[in-house]
Amino acid sequence: MSLSSPRPSGCRVRRLRPALVLALASSAGCYSYQPIQLSEISPNTSVRVQLSGMAVEQLRNGKSNEARLLEDFSVSGAVSRVTGDSVVLSVQTTQSSDAMTRPVTFYQPLPLARSDFRSVEVRKLDRKRTTITSVVLGALAVSAATYAIIHGGESSGTTPPNGGPNEARVPFLSFRIR
């Protein structure tokens, strides 16, 4: 018996290729970021902010470990507070994974000056992409079920030998009780 699995045959790879492409396409998500004006942002809005070079340097050299919040030159989070010259973002930092407690997500407030922003994008649901993804995944599920029903839903492996496994009896008490 070999521990390594055999390589998939060409036919099997050709069958798996469309499923792989579909999985990658659906993993793109149903949300997209759309640019908005800085004056249009309001509290509790999920945004992605492109920062200026000066703001990125300040965050990288900051004393509150804000550099870990950066994704290249951008920061993603929810708008907590908007004032005349600044915006406070609530950025997710960590999520507890202790099995003994309930999951808790931690957020860090990140105050930014409006002059630090190069652009702002808001996260919105892409209804067209969501509909197309749902229809395609539903059609694939129905096709797979139909295929399984038509082909009997049985495995294509070998037939087990007659008789099944040997019977093993272990005596619990070896004397008679009257």
Side-chain angles (χ1 to χ4, degrees):
M1 183 171 139
S2 173
L3 293 176
S4 64
S5 62
R7 294 187 58 152
S9 65
C11 181
R12 187 173 177 191
V13 170
R14 279 190 295 260
R15 278 191 247 149
L16 290 176
R17 205 173 278 154
L20 247 154
V21 169
L22 182 65
L24 288 174
S26 66
S27 70
C30 298
Y31 287 93
S32 63
Y33 284 96
Q34 299 172 352
I36 62 168
Q37 296 297 320
L38 186 56
S39 59
E40 296 175 17
I41 63 172
S42 61
N44 298 324
T45 305
S46 292
V47 295
R48 179 170 59 189
V49 179
Q50 298 293 327
L51 300 173
S52 66
M54 291 292 289
V56 170
E57 280 303 311
Q58 287 175 350
L59 290 177
R60 286 184 180 156
N61 298 327
K63 59 185 176 224
S64 299
N65 198 16
E66 290 133 343
R68 64 190 162 95
L69 305 176
L70 288 171
E71 301 165 7
D72 293 329
F73 277 78
S74 66
V75 174
S76 298
V79 177
S80 295
R81 191 173 56 227
V82 179
T83 61
D85 60 344
S86 67
V87 174
V88 178
L89 292 179
S90 179
V91 182
Q92 180 179 342
T93 56
T94 58
Q95 198 165 18
S96 73
S97 59
D98 185 10
M100 301 304 287
T101 62
R102 67 182 177 90
V104 177
T105 304
F106 297 98
Y107 295 91
Q108 178 175 343
L110 180 64
L112 296 167
R114 286 184 183 251
S115 60
D116 293 339
F117 290 40
R118 289 181 57 212
S119 66
V120 181
E121 300 169 318
V122 66
R123 183 179 151 174
K124 291 195 176 188
L125 179 69
D126 188 344
R127 292 183 188 270
K128 182 179 178 184
R129 189 185 307 175
T130 303
T131 303
I132 291 171
T133 302
S134 299
V135 167
V136 169
L137 289 176
L140 281 175
V142 168
S143 300
T146 304
Y147 179 83
I149 291 170
I150 289 173
H151 290 84
E154 296 177 10
S155 66
S156 60
T158 61
T159 306
N162 291 335
N166 291 335
E167 214 175 289
R169 295 184 184 210
V170 178
F172 184 69
L173 296 174
S174 60
F175 58 91
R176 279 173 72 164
I177 300 176
R178 291 186 191 222

